Amino acid sequence: MKTNIILMGPPGAGKGTQAKLIIQEFNLPHISTGDMFREAMKNATPLGLKAKSYIDQGHLVPDDVTIGIVEERLAQDDCKGGFLLDGFPRTIPQAEALDKMMAKMHRKIDLVIDVETPKEELIRRISGRRVCKSCGAPYHVDTMKPKVDGVCDICGGPLMQRKDDNVEALEVRLNHYEHETKPLLDYYKEAGNLVTLDGSKGKDLLFVEVKELIRGER
Ligand code: AMP
């Protein structure tokens, strides 16, 4: 089984949804830098205050800040048996820093799953996306409705729209993805552990492929 995994793809590709399925099935810690920043913003910590102005406008949080929080998180005990990185790395300096962290721990990334989805579909998904304010579980107003309107199926928390899920911030986020994150695909292709999947397939079909990849069956 692959245990040191990165999930990549543009905003709205379905990374968060696949991440929730992966951690349930394989019992890996979910390391989402976006979730970590949102938690820090909710608690108004110094990290949260620093990150807020970037995130609300769709910009990337500076590399030194982002790398620091991931390094701290990967050093925790629950990551010893593996981890699922979701939304990190997003730039070449972040990928290089991650390689150094891995080398220090005598480990290596063994699978990079890139979920690609056409832009029109990303816009449709992001504009209808709702998330649970308490646990961050993702929903969609048309395609992934909760059982009770406005209430999270998992924890009963209220559903809300992310502040950066609007058309202006999405354009900025897609632009960052295109220019800063996409070059990582070549970086990991060269490393030999990149697999690109079609995110427009729907979450269940996609998860069948994801499971096979993690189990090393394909
Ligand atoms: P996400 O939940 O992954 O869509 O992330 C939400 C926002 O958090 C992004 O639009 C960025 O502003 C910030 N963020 C998350 N991960 C990173 C990262 N690896 N590098 C820089 N900024 C990040």
Side-chain angles (χ1 to χ4, degrees), residues 11-12 15 32-35 37-38 51 54-56 58-63 66 70 86-91 94 129 162 164 173:
K15 295 190 299 293
S32 156
T33 38
D35 283 354
F37 287 135
R38 278 184 288 277
Y54 297 99
I55 294 181
D56 285 351
H59 290 300
L60 293 178
V61 177
D63 282 338
T66 310
V70 172
D86 164 8
F88 181 94
R90 261 176 157 100
T91 64
Q94 290 180 14
R129 174 155 76 178
R162 273 171 49 172
D164 58 345
R173 288 156 74 198

Side-chain angles (χ1 to χ4, degrees), residues 87-108:
F88 181 94
R90 261 176 157 100
T91 64
I92 294 280
Q94 290 180 14
E96 289 170 348
L98 178 63
D99 280 348
K100 282 197 194 126
M101 292 177 218
M102 292 288 101
K104 241 198 260 173
M105 294 191 268
H106 306 288
R107 294 162 69 173
K108 64 178 188 53

Side-chain angles (χ1 to χ4, degrees), residues 2 53 87 218:
K2 317 277 186 189
S53 56
R218 57 176 262 172

Side-chain angles (χ1 to χ4, degrees), residues 20-217:
K20 296 270 180 231
L21 295 169
I22 294 169
I23 56 170
Q24 269 169 24
E25 179 86 17
F26 296 101
N27 201 22
L28 290 169
H30 179 201
I31 304 180
S32 156
T33 38
D35 283 354
M36 289 159 88
F37 287 135
R38 278 184 288 277
E39 185 64 24
M41 291 195 293
K42 197 164 83 185
N43 298 323
T45 65
L47 171 70
L49 297 175
K50 200 173 207 174
K52 187 172 169 38
S53 56
Y54 297 99
I55 294 181
D56 285 351
Q57 291 174 45
H59 290 300
L60 293 178
V61 177
D63 282 338
D64 56 339
V65 177
T66 310
I67 290 166
I69 64 165
V70 172
E71 186 154 28
E72 247 175 55
R73 182 66 188 87
L74 285 178
Q76 288 171 12
D77 271 357
D78 63 333
C79 293
K80 284 206 171 110
F83 51 78
L84 176 70
L85 277 170
D86 164 8
F88 181 94
R90 261 176 157 100
T91 64
I92 294 280
Q94 290 180 14
E96 289 170 348
L98 178 63
D99 280 348
K100 282 197 194 126
M101 292 177 218
M102 292 288 101
K104 241 198 260 173
M105 294 191 268
H106 306 288
R107 294 162 69 173
K108 64 178 188 53
I109 297 298
D110 40 32
L111 177 63
V112 182
I113 303 174
D114 164 45
V115 184
E116 288 297 327
T117 305
K119 188 172 172 186
E120 317 76 70
E121 176 68 8
L122 298 176
I123 294 171
R124 192 193 64 74
R125 287 183 186 180
I126 291 280
S127 48
R129 174 155 76 178
R130 299 292 180 272
V131 290
C132 172
K133 200 172 176 184
S134 307
C135 75
Y139 295 88
H140 189 278
V141 290
D142 299 322
T143 53
M144 239 202 299
K145 294 182 185 176
K147 292 192 187 100
V148 178
D149 208 20
V151 180
C152 178
D153 293 347
I154 300 167
C155 76
L159 303 191
M160 54 165 264
Q161 185 165 29
R162 273 171 49 172
K163 205 166 174 193
D164 58 345
D165 277 352
N166 59 70
V167 179
E168 296 80 38
L170 179 61
E171 273 301 327
V172 179
R173 288 156 74 198
L174 288 173
N175 219 19
H176 283 299
Y177 180 75
E178 200 58 38
H179 294 103
E180 276 134 295
T181 309
K182 258 199 165 166
L184 289 183
L185 299 180
D186 282 335
Y187 183 92
Y188 287 116
K189 204 184 275 172
E190 242 163 66
N193 44 22
L194 177 80
V195 182
T196 296
L197 298 179
D198 175 5
S200 57
K201 273 189 174 161
K203 71 177 171 72
D204 296 326
L205 281 178
L206 187 59
F207 189 51
V208 170
E209 293 184 82
V210 167
K211 275 191 289 195
E212 287 172 357
L213 285 170
I214 295 177
R215 292 189 184 124
E217 293 168 357

